[in-house]
C-alpha cells in the first residue's frame, strides 16, 4: 500500500456516532481539523432512522434525555435550532430523524463515509490504519466505536481494561399497521417476556404518516439468545411477542427486523474515556459510562479534552 501526503493526518477519529462527532466538533472549535472515518453512509450510529414506504422509524434510540447540565444545554440548543423537538414526556427526538441531533456537529468537519477501517497498528511515531486497501497515517487516533470493534482493530495492542466491558445486542422490529389500538394508551411501554420497549413511532414530532408505526426492541437476554439467527427467524419470534402484547393479528401488520450487535452496555468501563499514556491513542463511546446517548456525548467531550491536554503537555 502506498501513502500519499494527504493521508498523513494530525488527528483521526474512527466513528461518526454521537461520541465521535462530539469529539470532532470540540476539536474543531479549539482550532483543529480532525478527520472522521465512518464505515457507513450515515451519521449518528444508533441515533438512526430507517425510511420505508409507510414512513420513518427511529430504530435505534427511541428518544434521548438529559441528566447533566452539559447535555441538557446541547439538547436545548438542538431544539432552538430546529434540529430536535420534545416528544411529550418521553424525551427529545431529532428532526427530521434521530441523526438530526448529530448533523450539526459534523458541520465544517471532514467526514469520510463508506470508509471502513480494517486494522490499526503502530508505525514509528504514527498510527497506521488500513482503510479498505488505503493506508492512512495519523499522529493522534481516537476510536469512538463499540468496544468489541475497537479491541478487534487494535489486536494485541488492545488494553486489558477493555476485557471488563460487557455489551449486548438488540433485535429491533419496525412494525406497520393500518389501524391503531385504542387499548394501548401510552406511546412508550416497557413490557416483560423479552420485550424491552414498544414505542408508537407515528406519534413523534415530524413522523406523521398513514396508519400507525411501532418500534419494538427486544431486551438483552432475548437478543443474546437469538443473536445468530437470521433476520426472518428472529423477526418471526419477536413479532409473536408483539402480537401477544398488543392484540394485533399477524394479518394486520407488516414488519422488518434489524439487529444491533452492540446496542446495550451491561458493564461499562467506569470512566469517560481511555487514554494510552504516551501513545497518542484514545478510546471512547457510550460504553465507557453506561450506554445512554448522554454517555456518548460525555465521552466525546472527554476524548476531545484528553487530546487537547496531550497537545498542551507535549
Amino acid at each position: 500500500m502506498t501513502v500519499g501526503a494527504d493521508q498523513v493526518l494530525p488527528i483521526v477519529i474512527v466513528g461518526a456516532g454521537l461520541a465521535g462527532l462530539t469529539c470532532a466538533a470540540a476539536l474543531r472549535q479549539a482550532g483543529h481539523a480532525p478527520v472522521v472515518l465512518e464505515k457507513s453512509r450515515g451519521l449518528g450510529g444508533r441515533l438512526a432512522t430507517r425510511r420505508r414506504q409507510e414512513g420513518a422509524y427511529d430504530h435505534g434510540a427511541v428518544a434521548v434525555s438529559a441528566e447533566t447540565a452539559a447535555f441538557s444545554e446541547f439538547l436545548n440548543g438542538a431544539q432552538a435550532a430546529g434540529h430536535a423537538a420534545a416528544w411529550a414526556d418521553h424525551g427529545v427526538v431529532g428532526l427530521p430523524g434521530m441523526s438530526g441531533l448529530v448533523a450539526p456537529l459534523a458541520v465544517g468537519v471532514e467526514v469520510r463515509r463508506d470508509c471502513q477501517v480494517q486494522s490499526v497498528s503502530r508505525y514509528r511515531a504514527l498510527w497506521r490504519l488500513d482503510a479498505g486497501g488505503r493506508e492512512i497515517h495519523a499522529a493522534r487516533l481516537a476510536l469512538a466505536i463499540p468496544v468489541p470493534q475497537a479491541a478487534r482493530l487494535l489486536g494485541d495492542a488492545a488494553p486489558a481494561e477493555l476485557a471488563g466491558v460487557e455489551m449486548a445486542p438488540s433485535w429491533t422490529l419496525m412494525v406497520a399497521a393500518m389501524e391503531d389500538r385504542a387499548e394501548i394508551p401510552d406511546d412508550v411501554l416497557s413490557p416483560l417476556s423479552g420485550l424491552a420497549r414498544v414505542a408508537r413511532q407515528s406519534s413523534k414530532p415530524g413522523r406523521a404518516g398513514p396508519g400507525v408505526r411501532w418500534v419494538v426492541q427486544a431486551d438483552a437476554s432475548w437478543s443474546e439468545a437469538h443473536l445468530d439467527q437470521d433476520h426472518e427467524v428472529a423477526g418471526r419470534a419477536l413479532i409473536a411477542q408483539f402480537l401477544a402484547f398488543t392484540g394485533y393479528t399477524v394479518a394486520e401488520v407488516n414488519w422488518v427486523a434489524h439487529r444491533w450487535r452492540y446496542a446495550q452496555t451491561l458493564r461499562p468501563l467506569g470512566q469517560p474515556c481511555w487514554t494510552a499514556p504516551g501513545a497518542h491513542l484514545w478510546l471512547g463511546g457510550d460504553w465507557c459510562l453506561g450506554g445512554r446517548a448522554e454517555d456518548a456525548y460525555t465521552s466525546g467531550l472527554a476524548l476531545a479534552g484528553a487530546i487537547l491536554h496531550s497537545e498542551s503537555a507535549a
Side-chain angles (χ1 to χ4, degrees):
M1 292 184 289
T2 60
V3 181
D6 65 323
Q7 294 172 304
V8 181
L9 305 171
I11 304 174
V12 168
I13 301 167
V14 178
L18 181 55
L21 290 178
T22 297
C23 176
L27 291 173
R28 181 177 179 273
Q29 188 173 21
H32 293 272
V35 173
V36 179
L37 308 180
E38 169 56 43
K39 68 178 182 179
S40 69
R41 291 175 293 175
L43 304 176
R46 292 194 305 280
L47 291 175
T49 300
R50 176 83 65 87
R51 288 172 174 80
R52 293 175 52 80
Q53 182 177 1
E54 65 271 16
Y57 297 85
D58 298 328
H59 63 307
V62 170
V64 301
S65 59
E67 295 180 356
T68 64
F71 195 54
S72 179
E73 181 179 355
F74 171 76
L75 292 182
N76 289 338
Q79 292 178 77
H83 301 302
W87 179 29
D89 59 350
H90 304 303
V92 173
V93 299
L95 296 174
M98 289 302 287
S99 63
L101 286 167
V102 300
L105 296 172
V107 174
V109 174
E110 182 181 349
V111 180
R112 301 184 183 180
R113 310 189 197 202
D114 288 319
C115 183
Q116 182 162 2
V117 178
Q118 297 176 341
S119 66
V120 170
S121 59
R122 197 69 169 148
Y123 178 73
R124 298 177 182 172
L126 302 173
W127 286 98
R128 178 168 54 193
L129 293 78
D130 175 2
R134 296 184 60 199
E135 189 170 287
I136 299 173
H137 285 210
R140 292 175 172 83
L141 175 63
L143 301 181
I145 54 180
V147 66
Q149 295 176 346
R152 189 159 53 245
L153 286 182
L154 292 169
D156 293 339
E161 294 91 329
L162 299 189
V165 178
E166 185 178 355
M167 300 194 74
S170 175
W171 275 105
T172 297
L173 284 184
M174 291 156 273
V175 183
M178 289 307 298
E179 297 182 356
D180 207 343
R181 280 283 188 269
E183 59 269 30
I184 310 175
D186 297 324
D187 290 326
V188 179
L189 305 102
S190 298
L192 302 175
S193 302
L195 300 183
R197 187 176 294 106
V198 174
R200 186 184 273 108
Q201 177 74 23
S202 46
S203 72
K204 291 183 177 182
R207 272 57 165 195
V212 60
R213 301 184 307 283
W214 300 90
V215 168
V216 183
Q217 296 175 330
D219 64 25
S221 60
W222 194 98
S223 297
E224 188 69 46
H226 296 77
L227 176 63
D228 294 324
Q229 292 181 336
D230 65 35
H231 285 62
E232 182 71 17
V233 173
R236 287 188 180 280
L238 190 55
I239 196 66
Q241 299 269 15
F242 173 76
L243 297 178
F245 175 68
T246 61
Y248 282 108
T249 66
V250 68
E252 294 177 299
V253 301
N254 294 309
W255 57 269
V256 63
H258 179 87
R259 177 180 57 200
W260 296 99
R261 187 170 287 274
Y262 307 116
Q264 307 175 67
T265 303
L266 304 182
R267 186 168 58 210
L269 180 66
Q271 60 193 57
C273 67
W274 183 88
T275 300
H280 292 157
L281 172 68
W282 298 267
L283 279 66
D286 56 0
W287 53 268
C288 288
L289 295 170
R292 299 174 67 244
E294 184 167 20
D295 298 325
Y297 181 79
T298 301
S299 182
L301 291 180
L303 283 171
I307 293 170
L308 293 172
H309 177 75
S310 74
E311 180 183 61
S312 62

